[in-house]
Amino acid sequence: MLSVLHPKAYVPSLFHINLQDLKSRGIKAILFDIDNTLIPWDCQQMDPQIEAWLRHLCQQGFKICFVSNNNEGRVAALCRSLQVPGIHKAAKPRRKGLRRALALLGAATHETALVGDQVFTDVLAGNRLGLYTILVTPLAGKEFIGTRINRQLEKLVLGRIKKMQS
């Protein structure tokens, strides 16, 4: 039961994602959650370092797509600035939005990673679809009320996962 909530990798930030490891696993496409993964939930501008890192990913040959439960305006603005595709109102942990993203990129599940900050939306959705899931520590800032509730449950799940690994 817990395995569907267990990310394949857990890193403190995007900058700790090992791109060589992803390439060696055959990963060619990366789906990114937006809020508190790439940009704080209450901000409109992406940190220039994160933007540069995403551009570097594209230069390395990775296809990227943003997949968010947020609205079209927020997703479209970030997609325009980086000239990448995006899916809004993805309804994660449902898989439909992720499938749409895979179709946009022309990518298969076994060659795609999903990066997000939430176990019950991002990791659960990605694992259910068979993606390589990477959980990142959420960016600092305010959070949506529903996310704050999920964070309390996540602490319990992550604690149990860590206990099982020891």
Side-chain angles (χ1 to χ4, degrees):
M1 164 59 190
L2 270 183
S3 63
V4 77
L5 298 174
H6 192 288
K8 305 295 185 285
Y10 187 18
V11 295
S13 78
L14 295 170
F15 306 113
H16 289 88
I17 295 172
N18 186 328
L19 301 181
Q20 251 345 96
D21 180 57
L22 292 182
K23 285 183 179 182
S24 71
R25 292 175 182 279
I27 302 296
K28 298 175 182 167
I30 306 174
L31 310 181
F32 286 95
D33 173 55
I34 293 175
D35 293 314
N36 293 327
T37 300
L38 298 176
I39 183 171
W41 177 73
D42 58 343
C43 290
Q44 298 303 313
Q45 296 294 319
M46 185 178 289
D47 180 298
Q49 286 184 305
I50 292 176
E51 187 172 332
W53 184 80
L54 289 169
R55 291 185 192 286
H56 173 72
L57 279 181
C58 294
Q59 291 168 351
Q60 292 289 311
F62 289 101
K63 298 178 197 175
I64 67 172
C65 182
F66 299 148
V67 182
S68 175
N69 288 351
N70 212 319
N71 64 53
E72 183 177 10
R74 180 155 172 89
V75 175
L78 291 173
C79 289
R80 274 192 304 275
S81 72
L82 285 162
Q83 298 178 332
V84 298
I87 304 294
H88 66 281
K89 294 187 179 178
K92 295 174 287 179
R94 290 184 159 171
R95 295 169 288 187
K96 185 177 181 181
L98 300 180
R99 286 188 184 117
R100 288 177 46 215
L102 292 175
L104 281 175
L105 296 178
T109 56
H110 69 275
E111 63 184 18
T112 305
L114 178 120
V115 178
D117 68 302
Q118 290 190 64
V119 170
F120 292 109
T121 55
D122 306 311
V123 173
L124 179 57
N127 283 344
R128 289 179 65 223
L129 194 56
L131 305 179
Y132 184 83
T133 52
I134 303 171
L135 182 66
V136 297
T137 302
L139 296 173
K142 294 180 183 177
E143 293 189 304
F144 176 68
I145 184 70
T147 304
R148 283 185 273 169
I149 293 167
N150 277 349
R151 294 278 184 229
Q152 298 307 310
L153 295 171
E154 281 182 6
K155 285 180 187 177
L156 296 172
V157 170
L158 291 173
R160 289 188 108 170
I161 289 170
K162 287 177 185 175
K163 201 178 215 180
M164 288 170 58
Q165 289 177 332
S166 327

